[in-house]
Amino acid sequence: GISLLEVKNSHLLSYMTEMAHLMLKIANGQSIQGDGSIERLVEIRTVLERIRPIEQKMKYQIDKLTKLAVSQGGEVDGNAARRPRPDNLMMDDMGEEGSSDEEADAEGQRGKGRKYVPPKLVAMRYDEDNNDREDRLVERAKRRALNSSLIEDLRQQYSQAPEEIREVVDERRRADDRHRASYEEEMMVRLQLDKKQKKAEKQRKATSTLDALLDFGDYMAVDGIDRDGQPLKKKSKISGGKTKFSGGKKGGKKMGKKKWKK
Amino acid sequence: MSDSVVTIRTRKLMSNRLLARKQMVVDVLHPNRASVPKTEIREKLAQMYKTTADTIFVFGFRCQFGGGKSTGFGLIYDTLDLAKKFEPKHRLARHGLLKVERQGRKQRKERKNRQKKVRGTKKSKVAAGKK
């Protein structure tokens, strides 16, 4: 038996007797003011209330013992009842989860020796309210419109700051050129441009005057969206900025060797 | 018009003992002039490094945008024999040290087309002349 339950039992019994005693006194018309029973009652009450949460926590054990006692009949060996049952932990439908956990564990053990590489993620802001696609598009369009050249011109008109004229610098292309030059000098070879790069070079050099005349520079922020206000699909990236060396290991040599006859 | 003076500077000079040569990057400054021919550059380099011009091989000259400056590569071998041993054949041919014997363009193309009809080792057996 569980000693806690015995204590609870005895206390309940004493509580009942004291209450009965007080009831008897009241029934006989005597006053119960200052009776010793009241103090004892209070004491028993506190003990019972303290027992209650402990009993809650022990509920599982008590239930198991009672079940065992019912099934086996008579006294039960407490230690055997309290033996851990890991089989109860695994549920049938979640058998796969258990096995996958094992695998993950094994892998983790294996990878412990390897160097820790943090994931290449950039934290993006998640706005719970503005989750609809339309709202987001509208927001984006508004932001783009604010930065369009129309608004920029107006801003320039009314601002007191001096006018700035900046050179359009393509950092990536400059870095690429520098990289290519250093490679060529290091390896003592000349690299060739492949077809895509040649086309990009030609495009860059051939700036037609008509295009320059008609280009207002994203005047009303309509460059990225079509007539209905939907964003245009992104075209393939211009290969001019990113150079892929066609030289490779052999440094500029194409095809196989020519057959030289002496 | 070689009135304007031609200046030659070398950078990244490295002596490559494995191939018995000195290799460097050659900067040529030629204001008011078209690009300098390789023979002239070789002579100037010979003066600078006190060797004969025949052991000097230069290649890969590219003119910078705007003109007036070209950059290329130069190799100076210890002896001509070592140069003949290590230099690629096309550069030796440029100096006239190696004569390339090969059939005319038309013949080569015809041979190639005949080879296309055959598979495997028989390709080498395809006669150069007409069958």
Side-chain angles (χ1 to χ4, degrees), chain B residues 15-29:
Chain B
S15 81
N16 189 342
R17 286 294 101 213
L18 296 166
L19 296 173
R21 69 186 185 198
K22 284 192 253 217
Q23 52 196 50
M24 67 204 79
V25 176
V26 178
D27 275 338
V28 183
L29 297 160

Side-chain angles (χ1 to χ4, degrees), chain B residues 75-93:
Chain B
L75 311 166
I76 304 178
Y77 283 89
D78 293 346
T79 66
L80 193 56
D81 292 334
L82 288 167
K84 281 195 197 165
K85 193 171 158 195
F86 290 125
E87 265 305 273
K89 311 257 183 333
H90 68 277
R91 268 186 235 144
L92 292 172

